[in-house]
C-alpha cells in the first residue's frame, strides 16, 4: 500500500524538487499537484523534465478548491508564507492528512515574532503549538508523533545541525557566534525579478540582509535558545553565489573554557551516530560534495593558539535545505525508514 | 570641442554598455540619459558600476519630453522597436542632431516586411529611405553622409560581415546557406522573465526560433540580397548559451565552382584591409577572444574532399553587436577616426 | 541475487557517474573499482560525494592486476582507448564476465579506420567482430546476446538516435546532412589542461575539430551507412558550452521527395514506441530538460516553403551519452528490465 | 615621451591583465614581454585576444636573459615568489629601472616570517628594507619615492583598505576581527590542476586554508600592526566562488567604546577624500559593481542593539587586487596622474 501524496504550490522550485524525489520513492504515489496561477496546465509544460513522467490526470495542475475536496495521506505545502497556513487548514481539519509545510508559517512558535518578521498577522496562531520544527535529526521523536511539520529554512538547517549539539553540550559559548552563509540562486525562488536575471547574477557575488535582517534568523535564534535554555543571538550574513544550488555556512564561535576542536568532533559523533544524512568529515566540505543529496556535512577547525572554533557546513538548499528534509520528515511521520527514497 | 550626446532608453543593457564606452571616448560628453520608467532616478542606482562616474545632473534620468527639448550633436536610441522610431522623430526634425537607432525600426527598407516581422505598422515609413544600415565596414561611405543610422542586429553583424564579401565576389553559392548561431544571455535584454532567470539558464543550452522564425532573419536576407543582386534566403537557428556575452555563428555554405577556402580568405583580406575591427584569423576564434572588444573575427575551413565552406564568426553581442558598432557609426558620421574610443 | 560489477578506470568522470547510478540500481553490487594511478586511495578522497557510501574494501581502489584475478558478472571499462581493449581482454577470456566498454575501442568495425582515427594499431582487432555497438534502442536484440558492448560516443548517440530511423525509412536524403553539436565541459574528461581551466571555459563558447575532424565522426558514418546500406558522410562540428553537462545537436537535412516533418515524427513514433528513454517532444528540447536523466529527446521542424528538416536533439552526455546507456546495455545483456535503476 | 615598460612572466593571468591595461595607458609603451616556458612564442597565440594588438617584435616572448640586457623605465614582475626576487635583481642594479613586483617576495618585511610562510629562504633579504608595500592609497608618498614596490595580495587589498583607517583612528577594536573572504577562480592562477578544472569549480562553492592558513594573512597582520602600533591578528577564511573575477570580503569587528557605524563612515570619508578608486557606498556593494575597474568599494553596518561592525568590501582581484593597483603604483612612482589609464 502506497501513501497518497498531494503537493500544494507544486510549480515553485521546491515543488519541482519534491516531485523529482517522490517519483523515486517506493512507497509514495502522487495523487495531485496544485497551483492557483497555472491550474489546468500540464506539469510537463511548466517543467519539461517531467513531461510524460506522471499520469496525465496527475500532471494536470488542479486549483486549491479541488485539492481541498481530497484527503491524501500526506500533503506538502510549497506555498509562500501566509498562503500556506490558509491552504493547509482544511487538511489539518479532515482528521486524516498529515502535513509538511515548507513555508515559514509554523517555524516560529511566537506569533508576535512571526508577525514582525513576515510583516503580517499569523493566519492561524492557534495551530502554532501543534507544529513541530522539522529538523529531522534533532526532533525525530516529536516529528514521528506530529501531524504538522514546519520544515526548516535552508540556511537554518545548515547552521542548526552543527551548532545545536555543541551548544547543548557546552562545547562552545553561546555569545559572539557569527554565521557567514553563502547560497546558490535557487534560494531566491522562481519569481522573475531583475535580481534573479542571469545577467545580474552571473559573475557576481553579493551579500544581502546583512547581520540581523534575514528572516531565517528568528527561527535560528529560537532553536538555539531551546537547545541552551537561554537566549542565543548570532550575527548572520547571507550571500548569493552564481550557481544554482548549494549552501555553505562558515560559522565562527568561541570554545568554552578548556574545550577544543576534538571535543566538538566527539560531540557531533555522539549526537549524529546513526544519522545517515549528517556527516562529520575530515576535509572541509564543498557544496558540490552534497549536490542533489540529502546530506549535511561539516567539519570544525581551531586555529592554532586560539580558542576559536571555525565550522564549515554544507548542504543542498533544495534537498536537505527543503524538499529532501520534507520527505525525510514524511518518512518519520509514517514510520517508514528515515532514508527511504532519499539515498 | 566635444560632441554632446544623449541616450534614449539608457537603462537597458545596450544603454549601459554605451555609457561604459562613451565614458572612455575622448571626444564625447554625455549630456543626458533618458528613461520613461525610471525618470528621476540616479543612473548609479540602476547600475551601481556607474555610481559617481557621471556628473549628478547627467546621472539623473530624464523623461523623453525633457530630452526632446534639447538638440545634442548625437542621440543614440536604445528603446524597443516602434517606441524608438517615435522617440527619435523630434531629433530628426531639429535640423542638427544625428541619430543612431539601435532598435530594429530602420533596418528593413520594406515597411510591409517590417510590419509582418514586428507585428505592427511602421510608425514612420517615410523615414525608411533616409536610413542607412549601420554595418560599419560595409556601408562606411553612406554612413558618413547619413543622419539616421539603423544599427544592425547582433546576430546579423556576425553573419553579414563574413558572408557579404563572399557572395559579392562569387566565392560561395547563394543557395543552401545554413547559419547556426549561439548567443550569450545579454541578448535577451534586461526584462525579468522566467526564461531569463538564472536558475533556468544556468547549466542549460537551448535552441529557439528555429530555422526561419527569428526577427533578425529579414535584415540578414535583405543585406545578402543587396550584396548579390538576387534573393538569398539562408536558414538561421539561434541558440542560448549560459554566459553573459558573446555570439558565435557557425555558417555552412557551398563553394562556387572552382573556389576553395583559400579564395574565401583572399576575398576577406581584400574586403577588410584597413578595417581595424574585422580580423581574419588563423585559428578558429572563440567568443572570449573578443569579449569587451569591438572586433568581429572569423575563419573558414573546407572539409577535405568537399566543396563546403564552414565559417566560424565571433563578436561581443553588446559591443560590435550593438553599442560598440553604434559608437563606430557615430565616429564615421562625425568624421572622427573610426576606432576612436574603441581600442 | 545481485550482479557483481567491477569498474576499470573508475576515477574518471564517466566512472564516477557509473558509481552514482550503480548505487541506485537494485540488482547490482559493486565489487571493485580499479585505477592504476590512484590504486590504494579511497574513492571518497577522489570524489568526496561518495565518502562513506561504499563499503571500505570496495572504496579502496585496486590496480588492474588485482582486478584481473576476479571474474565479476559485469565489467565496465572507463579507460582511455587502447588501454581499454587491453584491460578487458582477461575478462573476455574468463568465460563468464560480460563487458561494456565505454572507450572507443570497439565502436568502429574496421581496424584500419580505427587506426587512422586514433593514431595507433588496434590492440585486439580479432575481437572487433564480436563487439556490438551499444546504441540500446537500435541494437537491442544483438546487445542482449552479446558479451562485449562498445558503448557509443556521447555526440554519436545524440545524432544517431534521430537520424537512423529517418534514413532507414527514407524520410530524409542521405546527402548533405549537417550536424552542429554543442557539449558541456565534462565531455573533455577529467584531465587538467589549460583548455579545461575554469577561467578559460567560463564565459566562453568555442568550436573545435570543425567539419570532419572529430573522432566520433567515423562511428557516426558507419552506423548511418549500416542503416541506409550505402555511404553517408555528414559534416560534423562540435562546440564547447560553459556548463558541466548536456549535449544539444542541431541537425540539418533534406527531406526526401514528398516527405514532410510530419513523416519524420511518424517515423520516430513508430521506431521508438516502447522505448522509455527516447522522447519525441512537441517543444524544442533544452539540455536542462534531460540533465541527470537517461533520456534522449528530439523534435523536428520544417521551415515554411522549404524541403529542409531541422532536428534539435538533446541528452545528458554523462548519462545517455555514456554511463547511463552503459547501464542500460548491462540491463539488456542480463535480461533485466531495460529501465531498471535508470528512472 | 612615453615610458618604456617590460613585463616579466607575462603569460600568467596578471600579466595578461597588465597588457590589457597598458595598451590603454596613454604614457606607456610596452617594450618586451618575457616568459621562460614560452619564449619565442607570439603573445597572440597564448592570448588570442591580443593577436595583432602588439607590434610583432614586442609580441614575441623573450627569455629573461634577453630581458636583463635592457633597462626599461619600469618593469612589472608577474613571476611566482622566489623566482620574482631573482628576476628583478638585475633591474634594481641598473640604476634606472623602477620595479613593481606583483609576487609576494617583498610584501613581508621580516625575512623569517617570509621563510616560514613561503617555505624557502628569502632570495634577497637585503632588499626588504628598500621595498614599499604598494597599497596605493595608504602609502602614496613612500611609493612615489621608491624604486621597488611590493604589490599587495588581492585578498589583502580588500581587507586593508577598509580596516587600516578604522584601526588607526580607534573606531574599532583590534581584537577579535574576523575576515570571511570570497574570490573568483582567477585568483588560483593559470596553472592547470584538477582543482581549477571547470567541472570541479562550476556549481561549487568551497572554503580553503581556513582560519590561519592562507599566505596573505602575514602581510595583512603586518600592515594592520603598523597601523595600530601593536599586534593585530584577525582570523581569515578564504573561499572560492564559481566565477572568473572579483573578491568580496565580509569583515566582522567590535566597535570601540562609544563608536558607531557613523564614525566608521566618517573615518573613511576623511581617509579617502581625493582617492578616486576607493568608494564608500550607501548600498552593500557586489563584485560585479567593480568588475574590470580599479575600484575598491565598501560599506559598514551595525546590527541594531549591538556594538558589532560588519563591513562588506569588494574589488576586482585582477585589477585593484593585482595589475590595476600595480599600474596605479607605476603612475605614482613616475609622478603621473594616479588614475591615468585606469578610468
Amino acid at each position: 500500500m502506497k501513501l497518497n501524496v498531494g503537493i500544494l504550490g507544486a510549480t515553485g522550485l521546491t515543488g519541482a524538487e519534491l516531485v523529482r524525489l517522490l517519483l523515486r520513492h517506493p512507497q509514495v504515489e502522487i495523487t495531485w499537484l496544485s497551483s492557483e496561477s497555472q491550474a489546468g496546465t500540464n506539469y510537463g509544460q511548466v517543467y519539461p523534465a517531467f513531461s510524460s513522467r506522471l499520469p496525465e490526470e496527475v500532471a494536470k495542475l488542479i486549483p486549491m478548491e479541488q485539492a481541498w475536496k481530497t484527503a491524501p495521506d500526506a500533503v506538502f505545502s510549497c506555498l509562500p508564507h501566509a498562503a500556506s497556513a490558509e491552504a493547509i487548514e482544511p487538511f489539518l481539519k479532515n482528521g486524516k492528512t498529515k502535513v509538511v509545510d515548507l513555508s515559514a508559517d509554523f517555524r516560529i512558535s511566537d506569533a508576535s515574532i512571526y508577525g514582525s518578521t513576515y510583516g503580517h498577522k499569523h493566519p492561524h496562531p492557534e495551530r502554532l503549538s501543534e507544529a513541530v520544527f522539522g529538523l529531522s535529526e534533532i526532533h525525530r521523536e516529536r516529528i514521528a508523533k506530529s501531524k504538522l511539520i514546519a520544515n526548516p529554512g535552508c540556511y537554518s538547517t545548515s547552521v542548526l545541525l552543527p551548532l545545536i549539539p555543541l551548544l547543548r553540550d557546552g562545547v562552545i559559548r553561546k555569545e559572539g557566534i557569527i554565521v557567514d552563509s553563502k547560497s546558490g540562486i535557487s534560494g531566491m525562488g522562481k519569481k522573475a525579478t531583475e535580481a534573479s536575471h542571469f545577467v545580474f547574477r552571473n559573475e557576481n557575488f553579493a551579500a544581502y540582509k546583512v547581520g540581523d535582517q534575514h528572516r531565517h534568523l528568528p527561527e535560528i535564534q529560537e532553536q538555539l535558545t531551546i537547545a541552551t535554555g537561554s537566549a542565543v543571538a548570532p550575527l548572520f550574513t547571507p550571500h548569493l553565489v552564481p550557481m544554482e544550488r548549494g549552501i555553505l555556512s562558515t560559522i565562527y564561535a568561541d570554545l568554552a573554557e578548556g574545550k577544543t576542536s576534538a571535543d566538538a568532533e566527539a560531540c557531533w559523533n555522539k549526537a549524529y551516530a546513526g544519522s545517515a544524512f549528517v556527516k562529520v568529515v575530515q576535509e572541509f566540505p564543498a557544496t558540490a560534495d552534497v549536490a542533489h543529496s540529502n546530506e549535511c556535512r561539516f567539519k570544525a577547525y581551531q586555529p592554532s593558539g586560539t580558542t576559536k572554533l571555525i565550522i564549515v557546513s554544507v548542504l543542498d538548499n533544495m534537498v536537505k535545505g527543503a524538499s529532501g528534509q520534507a520527505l525525510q520528515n514524511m518518512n518519520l511521520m509514517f514510520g517508514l525508514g528515515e532514508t527511504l527514497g532519499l539515498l
Side-chain angles (χ1 to χ4, degrees), chain A:
Chain A
M1 278 293 291
K2 294 192 172 185
L3 299 174
N4 290 321
V5 168
I7 302 179
L8 294 163
T11 57
L13 298 181
T14 53
E17 192 73 20
L18 251 180
V19 171
R20 201 180 313 272
L21 293 167
L22 291 173
L23 282 172
R24 282 223 186 98
H25 194 289
Q27 298 287 337
V28 161
E29 196 158 288
I30 301 175
T31 48
W32 49 255
L33 304 172
S34 91
S35 163
E36 292 314 284
S37 57
Q38 296 182 269
T41 309
N42 187 293
Y43 200 60
Q45 283 181 265
V46 185
Y47 289 102
F50 296 115
S51 74
S52 69
R53 299 211 44 207
L54 291 159
E56 212 165 306
E57 68 280 9
V58 175
K60 194 178 163 186
L61 289 157
I62 62 169
M64 212 180 289
E65 292 279 341
Q66 195 176 330
W68 282 338
K69 293 176 187 149
T70 72
D73 298 304
V75 163
F76 293 93
S77 171
C78 299
L79 291 165
H81 56 85
S84 192
E86 303 280 18
I88 63 180
E89 186 61 21
F91 297 105
L92 293 174
K93 282 192 174 136
N94 73 18
K96 175 186 171 199
T97 305
K98 299 182 181 182
V99 174
V100 182
D101 180 6
L102 284 85
S103 88
D105 280 345
F106 297 96
R107 293 180 193 159
I108 303 170
S109 63
D110 183 330
S112 72
I113 295 178
Y114 174 91
S116 59
T117 304
Y118 291 94
H120 55 80
K121 227 170 135 283
H122 196 290
H124 285 282
E126 76 283 1
R127 291 277 181 207
L128 283 168
S129 60
E130 294 172 34
V132 173
F133 190 77
L135 194 62
S136 314
E137 287 78 7
I138 298 297
H139 300 304
R140 212 175 255 127
E141 287 74 24
R142 294 179 56 222
I143 292 165
K145 294 180 201 147
S146 175
K147 291 189 65 177
L148 172 55
I149 300 300
N151 216 56
C154 49
Y155 285 121
S156 313
T157 300
S158 79
V159 173
L160 293 172
L161 284 174
L163 282 185
I164 284 176
L166 299 181
L167 284 167
R168 208 161 44 191
D169 293 6
V171 179
I172 57 171
R173 301 185 59 211
K174 61 184 189 163
E175 296 84 11
I177 297 172
I178 289 171
V179 178
D180 193 282
S181 292
K182 301 87 176 176
S183 172
I185 309 303
S186 58
M188 297 180 81
K190 195 191 185 182
K191 204 178 159 193
T193 63
E194 202 172 284
S196 66
H197 193 300
F198 184 90
V199 164
F200 293 97
R201 293 265 63 86
N202 183 50
E203 278 287 303
N204 199 6
F205 184 90
Y208 70 108
K209 299 193 184 293
V210 171
D212 56 1
Q213 304 168 65
H214 195 280
R215 286 169 166 182
H216 286 182
L217 192 49
E219 67 187 74
I220 292 174
Q221 287 176 333
E222 175 168 336
Q223 292 296 318
L224 293 184
T225 299
I226 291 170
T228 54
S230 62
V232 183
L235 293 182
F236 172 55
T237 301
H239 302 75
L240 286 172
V241 186
M243 61 184 188
E244 187 200 332
R245 52 172 78 207
I247 283 179
L248 183 147
S249 292
T250 313
I251 306 171
Y252 301 87
D254 289 295
L255 285 159
E257 183 95 32
K259 299 291 184 181
T260 68
S261 60
D263 295 309
E265 202 173 326
C267 164
W268 285 336
N269 285 336
K270 187 176 55 125
Y272 295 117
S275 287
F277 296 129
V278 176
K279 288 197 179 137
V280 182
V281 290
Q282 295 309 307
E283 305 290 328
F284 282 107
T287 62
D289 300 349
V290 293
H292 301 283
S293 103
N294 198 47
E295 292 184 12
C296 179
R297 296 185 176 191
F298 34 85
K299 171 183 165 63
Y301 176 75
Q302 181 180 0
S304 75
T306 76
T307 54
K308 280 280 180 184
L309 193 73
I310 306 180
I311 302 163
V312 173
S313 167
V314 300
L315 51 72
D316 183 325
N317 59 312
M318 301 304 290
V319 190
K320 184 62 177 171
S323 306
Q325 185 155 252
L327 187 49
Q328 184 181 359
N329 286 329
M330 186 207 78
N331 283 341
L332 289 170
M333 291 167 100
F334 287 91
L336 303 172
E338 185 174 346
T339 62
L340 201 66
L342 285 166
L343 289 178

